[in-house]
mmCIF file of all heavy atoms in Angstrom:
data_model
loop_
_atom_site.group_PDB
_atom_site.id
_atom_site.type_symbol
_atom_site.label_atom_id
_atom_site.label_comp_id
_atom_site.label_asym_id
_atom_site.label_seq_id
_atom_site.Cartn_x
_atom_site.Cartn_y
_atom_site.Cartn_z
ATOM 1 N N ASP B 139 -47.068 18.515 -1.362
ATOM 2 C CA ASP B 139 -47.110 18.287 -2.809
ATOM 3 C C ASP B 139 -45.957 17.403 -3.281
ATOM 4 O O ASP B 139 -45.649 17.353 -4.464
ATOM 5 C CB ASP B 139 -47.026 19.635 -3.545
ATOM 6 C CG ASP B 139 -48.284 20.445 -3.330
ATOM 7 O OD1 ASP B 139 -49.362 19.828 -3.233
ATOM 8 O OD2 ASP B 139 -48.186 21.688 -3.243
ATOM 9 N N GLY B 140 -45.292 16.746 -2.363
ATOM 10 C CA GLY B 140 -44.117 15.948 -2.720
ATOM 11 C C GLY B 140 -44.469 14.646 -3.414
ATOM 12 O O GLY B 140 -45.639 14.278 -3.550
ATOM 13 N N VAL B 141 -43.426 13.950 -3.826
ATOM 14 C CA VAL B 141 -43.597 12.721 -4.592
ATOM 15 C C VAL B 141 -44.337 11.643 -3.796
ATOM 16 O O VAL B 141 -45.151 10.904 -4.357
ATOM 17 C CB VAL B 141 -42.222 12.174 -5.029
ATOM 18 C CG1 VAL B 141 -42.361 10.791 -5.628
ATOM 19 C CG2 VAL B 141 -41.577 13.113 -6.009
ATOM 20 N N VAL B 142 -44.095 11.578 -2.495
ATOM 21 C CA VAL B 142 -44.718 10.513 -1.702
ATOM 22 C C VAL B 142 -46.238 10.637 -1.752
ATOM 23 O O VAL B 142 -46.947 9.675 -2.060
ATOM 24 C CB VAL B 142 -44.207 10.563 -0.245
ATOM 25 C CG1 VAL B 142 -44.920 9.526 0.604
ATOM 26 C CG2 VAL B 142 -42.702 10.335 -0.203
ATOM 27 N N ASN B 143 -46.731 11.846 -1.491
ATOM 28 C CA ASN B 143 -48.176 12.040 -1.551
ATOM 29 C C ASN B 143 -48.710 11.921 -2.979
ATOM 30 O O ASN B 143 -49.807 11.402 -3.195
ATOM 31 C CB ASN B 143 -48.553 13.406 -0.967
ATOM 32 C CG ASN B 143 -48.471 13.400 0.548
ATOM 33 O OD1 ASN B 143 -48.585 12.343 1.171
ATOM 34 N ND2 ASN B 143 -48.267 14.573 1.128
ATOM 35 N N GLN B 144 -47.910 12.392 -3.925
ATOM 36 C CA GLN B 144 -48.321 12.277 -5.328
ATOM 37 C C GLN B 144 -48.529 10.814 -5.709
ATOM 38 O O GLN B 144 -49.520 10.460 -6.340
ATOM 39 C CB GLN B 144 -47.248 12.906 -6.228
ATOM 40 C CG GLN B 144 -47.670 13.056 -7.676
ATOM 41 C CD GLN B 144 -46.483 13.411 -8.581
ATOM 42 O OE1 GLN B 144 -45.326 13.163 -8.243
ATOM 43 N NE2 GLN B 144 -46.787 14.013 -9.710
ATOM 44 N N ALA B 145 -47.605 9.963 -5.269
ATOM 45 C CA ALA B 145 -47.702 8.540 -5.585
ATOM 46 C C ALA B 145 -48.930 7.930 -4.910
ATOM 47 O O ALA B 145 -49.650 7.118 -5.512
ATOM 48 C CB ALA B 145 -46.434 7.819 -5.135
ATOM 49 N N LEU B 146 -49.185 8.336 -3.669
ATOM 50 C CA LEU B 146 -50.340 7.798 -2.957
ATOM 51 C C LEU B 146 -51.649 8.186 -3.666
ATOM 52 O O LEU B 146 -52.560 7.372 -3.800
ATOM 53 C CB LEU B 146 -50.359 8.296 -1.508
ATOM 54 C CG LEU B 146 -49.311 7.671 -0.584
ATOM 55 C CD1 LEU B 146 -49.296 8.367 0.762
ATOM 56 C CD2 LEU B 146 -49.575 6.175 -0.404
ATOM 57 N N ARG B 147 -51.703 9.444 -4.123
ATOM 58 C CA ARG B 147 -52.919 9.877 -4.830
ATOM 59 C C ARG B 147 -53.074 9.102 -6.126
ATOM 60 O O ARG B 147 -54.173 8.728 -6.515
ATOM 61 C CB ARG B 147 -52.850 11.379 -5.144
ATOM 62 C CG ARG B 147 -53.113 12.222 -3.923
ATOM 63 C CD ARG B 147 -53.270 13.705 -4.259
ATOM 64 N NE ARG B 147 -53.008 14.486 -3.050
ATOM 65 C CZ ARG B 147 -51.892 15.166 -2.841
ATOM 66 N NH1 ARG B 147 -50.954 15.211 -3.764
ATOM 67 N NH2 ARG B 147 -51.716 15.816 -1.700
ATOM 68 N N LEU B 148 -51.951 8.841 -6.755
ATOM 69 C CA LEU B 148 -51.963 8.140 -8.036
ATOM 70 C C LEU B 148 -52.596 6.757 -7.903
ATOM 71 O O LEU B 148 -53.311 6.296 -8.787
ATOM 72 C CB LEU B 148 -50.520 8.013 -8.535
ATOM 73 C CG LEU B 148 -50.329 7.871 -10.043
ATOM 74 C CD1 LEU B 148 -50.725 9.173 -10.721
ATOM 75 C CD2 LEU B 148 -48.871 7.535 -10.341
ATOM 76 N N VAL B 149 -52.358 6.098 -6.786
ATOM 77 C CA VAL B 149 -52.921 4.754 -6.611
ATOM 78 C C VAL B 149 -54.213 4.802 -5.799
ATOM 79 O O VAL B 149 -54.686 3.776 -5.316
ATOM 80 C CB VAL B 149 -51.907 3.798 -5.926
ATOM 81 C CG1 VAL B 149 -50.736 3.548 -6.851
ATOM 82 C CG2 VAL B 149 -51.443 4.335 -4.591
ATOM 83 N N GLY B 150 -54.770 6.006 -5.644
ATOM 84 C CA GLY B 150 -56.092 6.121 -5.028
ATOM 85 C C GLY B 150 -56.091 6.113 -3.512
ATOM 86 O O GLY B 150 -57.131 5.961 -2.885
ATOM 87 N N LEU B 151 -54.938 6.265 -2.901
ATOM 88 C CA LEU B 151 -54.882 6.280 -1.431
ATOM 89 C C LEU B 151 -54.875 7.710 -0.908
ATOM 90 O O LEU B 151 -54.072 8.067 -0.051
ATOM 91 C CB LEU B 151 -53.630 5.538 -0.952
ATOM 92 C CG LEU B 151 -53.656 4.021 -1.092
ATOM 93 C CD1 LEU B 151 -52.292 3.425 -0.775
ATOM 94 C CD2 LEU B 151 -54.707 3.420 -0.167
ATOM 95 N N ASP B 152 -55.789 8.527 -1.411
ATOM 96 C CA ASP B 152 -55.800 9.936 -1.023
ATOM 97 C C ASP B 152 -55.898 10.099 0.487
ATOM 98 O O ASP B 152 -55.360 11.037 1.064
ATOM 99 C CB ASP B 152 -56.979 10.659 -1.681
ATOM 100 C CG ASP B 152 -56.823 10.695 -3.175
ATOM 101 O OD1 ASP B 152 -56.705 9.597 -3.762
ATOM 102 O OD2 ASP B 152 -56.806 11.782 -3.758
ATOM 103 N N GLY B 153 -56.604 9.145 1.134
ATOM 104 C CA GLY B 153 -56.795 9.244 2.576
ATOM 105 C C GLY B 153 -55.491 9.131 3.351
ATOM 106 O O GLY B 153 -55.376 9.621 4.468
ATOM 107 N N ALA B 154 -54.505 8.478 2.749
ATOM 108 C CA ALA B 154 -53.251 8.240 3.471
ATOM 109 C C ALA B 154 -52.294 9.418 3.374
ATOM 110 O O ALA B 154 -51.297 9.467 4.086
ATOM 111 C CB ALA B 154 -52.572 6.987 2.945
ATOM 112 N N THR B 155 -52.574 10.361 2.478
ATOM 113 C CA THR B 155 -51.640 11.469 2.308
ATOM 114 C C THR B 155 -51.615 12.346 3.561
ATOM 115 O O THR B 155 -52.595 12.460 4.283
ATOM 116 C CB THR B 155 -52.045 12.366 1.124
ATOM 117 O OG1 THR B 155 -53.358 12.872 1.379
ATOM 118 C CG2 THR B 155 -52.014 11.613 -0.175
ATOM 119 N N ARG B 156 -50.464 12.908 3.826
ATOM 120 C CA ARG B 156 -50.313 13.807 4.969
ATOM 121 C C ARG B 156 -48.977 14.536 4.837
ATOM 122 O O ARG B 156 -48.173 14.183 3.962
ATOM 123 C CB ARG B 156 -50.343 13.012 6.272
ATOM 124 C CG ARG B 156 -49.152 12.073 6.427
ATOM 125 C CD ARG B 156 -49.376 11.073 7.520
ATOM 126 N NE ARG B 156 -50.333 10.050 7.100
ATOM 127 C CZ ARG B 156 -50.867 9.176 7.928
ATOM 128 N NH1 ARG B 156 -50.615 9.215 9.194
ATOM 129 N NH2 ARG B 156 -51.695 8.245 7.481
ATOM 130 N N ALA B 157 -48.763 15.504 5.696
ATOM 131 C CA ALA B 157 -47.448 16.125 5.765
ATOM 132 C C ALA B 157 -46.614 15.212 6.655
ATOM 133 O O ALA B 157 -46.633 15.316 7.871
ATOM 134 C CB ALA B 157 -47.542 17.521 6.355
#
Side-chain angles (χ1 to χ4, degrees):
Chain B
D139 291 326
V141 171
V142 176
N143 285 335
Q144 190 192 22
L146 287 172
R147 284 189 201 105
L148 205 68
V149 293
L151 287 172
D152 295 57
T155 59
R156 66 194 74 191

